[in-house]
Amino acid sequence: MPIYAAGALLWHEVNGELLVAMIHRARRNDWSWPKGKLDPGETLPQTAVREIHEETGLKIKLGPFLDVMKYHLPSGQPKEVHYWSARVSDAALRRSTFVPGEEVAKVEWKTPEEARVLLTYSVDHNILDKFLVLHEAGLHKTKPVIILRHAKATPRADWKGGKNVDDGMRPLLPAGFDQAKRLVPLLSAFGPTRVVTSPWERCFTTVYPYAKSRKLTIVERSQLSELGNKKGPKRTKKVVNDVIEENSATVLCSHRPALPTILDTFAPLGEWHHVAAIKEAADLKPAEMLVIHIAKKGDERKIVSVERHTTETPPDKI
């Protein structure tokens, strides 16, 4: 069983100059990217955000996924480190709570050229290279659109509402309510500031804990319900396109039958490998989500990366 860990390449711009954050661990006398091991019950995105805060004092939201570094420890045990990129704003820098300690002695901002010289481990160069490809293409600034299937709902056959009662009222199971709670830290790792959902009970209840935790208004769209999509898939696509054009970090909650319509709306924005990953997400399980990172270049929208996550751990599907 591998040891799982997660971290991020943190970036910041000063007068147009790109800087990346490096940590120095005096105990090992090395320079690397901030990262750390998965705690019990965590998802990898949660781990990345927590470890970055613990090691650098910075609170961040994850940007595009970069890569997985796989190697063996001296003991022979395999290890996987999952890396994202993450922008650090001026406000986040001002709020940093970093204090030098035994684990991390320094956090320093370096140009990519300086970082390449300082990096102790060869595997870390690959993470820098992956990010610089995005930066040089102008695709490093992104906003996520998260496609979320509602949590586990009461089966139709077991629902006491019966056949003659609106299926939109069918509630979550106790396991579904638990999934909705566990989605809060997972969604928080990406920081959506808009919550758009089917108004049906099982969808609304799935996103409610996250919206409440962030004091966000829940926007209900009937076009995202099973019936709304069945009656008018073009109207469903329009809702999704409006979300894309809004250019805000958004979680969009819907139902399995509507997923193909929703996912197909993103196809024109991605390369073939993005499109393949998006189409495969038509089989999202309850409370599973697809994170689509989108960059804006002028009037154009372009998919930069696609990730798939569940509340089950470890590991996440990426």
Side-chain angles (χ1 to χ4, degrees), residues 87-103:
R87 174 179 176 267
V88 177
S89 66
D90 291 336
L93 280 174
R94 289 192 297 270
R95 292 192 295 264
S96 173
T97 58
F98 174 72
V99 176
E102 181 180 350
E103 181 66 22

Side-chain angles (χ1 to χ4, degrees), residues 144-160:
V145 177
I146 302 170
I147 310 304
L148 171 66
R149 182 179 170 187
H150 64 73
K152 291 181 180 178
T154 301
R156 286 183 173 88
D158 298 338
W159 185 40
K160 294 180 180 180

Side-chain angles (χ1 to χ4, degrees), residues 57-304:
L58 296 166
K59 291 185 177 182
I60 56 92
K61 306 302 178 190
L62 299 177
F65 183 75
L66 294 176
D67 209 348
V68 182
M69 295 292 96
K70 298 181 179 182
Y71 53 93
H72 286 80
L73 298 172
S75 65
Q77 187 171 13
K79 185 173 183 178
E80 290 187 8
V81 187
H82 295 239
Y83 283 102
W84 285 260
S85 66
R87 174 179 176 267
V88 177
S89 66
D90 291 336
L93 280 174
R94 289 192 297 270
R95 292 192 295 264
S96 173
T97 58
F98 174 72
V99 176
E102 181 180 350
E103 181 66 22
V104 178
K106 299 178 185 177
V107 177
E108 294 192 1
W109 291 90
K110 302 292 184 180
T111 66
E113 295 75 21
E114 292 169 335
R116 196 177 296 281
V117 173
L118 280 175
L119 284 170
T120 303
Y121 307 106
S122 59
V123 291
D124 285 341
H125 287 256
N126 183 62
I127 299 303
L128 180 60
D129 291 339
K130 293 277 187 178
F131 177 72
L132 290 178
V133 168
L134 297 181
H135 183 264
E136 290 164 9
L139 299 175
H140 58 302
K141 298 179 181 179
T142 65
K143 293 291 179 64
V145 177
I146 302 170
I147 310 304
L148 171 66
R149 182 179 170 187
H150 64 73
K152 291 181 180 178
T154 301
R156 286 183 173 88
D158 298 338
W159 185 40
K160 294 180 180 180
K163 295 182 179 179
N164 296 324
V165 179
D166 184 359
D167 187 52
M169 299 298 293
R170 184 155 52 90
L172 296 181
L173 288 167
F177 282 103
D178 182 60
Q179 286 178 325
K181 291 178 182 177
R182 287 187 282 124
L183 277 168
V184 174
L186 178 55
L187 289 168
S188 296
F190 300 96
T193 55
R194 293 188 74 221
V195 179
V196 183
T197 184
S198 157
W200 286 15
E201 178 72 14
R202 51 194 181 273
C203 268
F204 187 94
T205 311
T206 297
V207 296
Y208 180 77
Y210 175 76
K212 182 181 179 182
S213 73
R214 293 305 177 101
K215 298 180 180 179
L216 299 175
T217 299
I218 298 176
V219 179
E220 300 177 50
R221 291 288 181 264
S222 61
Q223 298 93 329
L224 297 176
S225 70
E226 290 186 29
L227 186 60
N229 174 69
K230 184 177 180 180
K231 287 184 174 180
K234 289 184 178 179
R235 292 193 292 272
T236 302
K237 285 190 173 185
K238 184 180 184 306
V239 169
V240 179
N241 274 318
D242 288 345
V243 167
I244 294 170
E245 290 299 315
E246 176 70 22
N247 197 39
S248 296
T250 302
V251 55
L252 189 157
C253 186
S254 190
H255 310 258
R256 182 186 55 78
L259 288 176
T261 301
I262 293 168
L263 295 168
D264 284 348
T265 312
F266 290 90
L269 308 180
E271 303 293 338
W272 68 268
H273 54 286
H274 297 137
V275 175
I278 288 169
K279 288 186 177 295
E280 288 175 2
D283 68 351
L284 286 178
K285 303 299 187 292
E288 191 172 11
M289 68 191 208
L290 193 74
V291 185
I292 304 173
H293 298 273
I294 301 175
K296 181 181 179 183
K297 294 186 69 176
D299 294 330
E300 183 183 8
R301 305 291 191 277
K302 186 175 179 64
I303 292 174
V304 174

Side-chain angles (χ1 to χ4, degrees), residues 33-48:
W33 312 122
K35 66 181 184 298
K37 290 189 291 186
L38 188 82
D39 276 351
E42 281 188 329
T43 62
L44 288 166
Q46 287 174 253
T47 300

